[in-house]
Amino acid sequence: MSTAQRPVCVQDTGRISELAASIANGALSPVTLVERCLARIDEVDPYVQAWRRVDRERALTIAREREAEARAGRLRGQLHGIPFGIKDVMDAEGLDTLCNSRS
């Protein structure tokens, strides 16, 4: 693929505070937000290789749970429904902590 066909790697997806407010008031679904993030990873990661592992199913499952909670008015905090990435040097339940090691 030539450079002209590569996607723009830096793109403003919105301010976290605005995204969180949209989730809280029901204008944005956490599932939709996660799906947008996953689509963006698919588009750009072949060029930047920023992700070692993407747990799509878990991300979507949690997004569905957060959406149901938001609809019921049970927000867990200011970042309710906001997806985020975890470096592989951090311990996280259900994920390998590789510290960027191939072994």
Side-chain angles (χ1 to χ4, degrees):
M1 181 178 274
S2 73
T3 305
Q5 295 172 318
R6 290 184 182 176
V8 175
C9 291
V10 177
Q11 186 178 64
D12 185 357
T13 57
R15 304 294 183 267
I16 290 176
S17 61
E18 293 167 0
L19 295 170
S22 293
I23 289 170
N25 70 25
L28 176 62
S29 155
V31 175
T32 298
L33 182 56
V34 166
E35 288 171 342
R36 282 186 357 207
C37 290
L38 292 172
R40 189 74 178 132
I41 289 168
D42 291 342
E43 180 182 11
V44 175
D45 203 52
Y47 306 101
V48 298
Q49 298 178 358
W51 300 95
R52 175 163 283 215
R53 178 177 174 214
V54 177
D55 192 347
R56 295 171 182 281
E57 288 307 311
R58 186 173 178 189
L60 288 166
T61 296
I62 292 171
R64 288 183 200 103
E65 292 170 3
R66 298 304 172 264
E67 183 170 325
E69 291 168 350
R71 285 183 180 165
R74 294 189 321 266
L75 301 177
R76 293 175 178 235
Q78 293 179 335
L79 297 178
H80 185 93
I82 302 294
F84 61 91
I86 299 175
K87 298 277 295 171
D88 69 347
V89 298
M90 304 296 293
D91 288 327
E93 182 181 337
L95 299 175
D96 296 329
T97 303
L98 302 173
C99 297
N100 204 31
S101 172
R102 294 185 192 272
S103 61

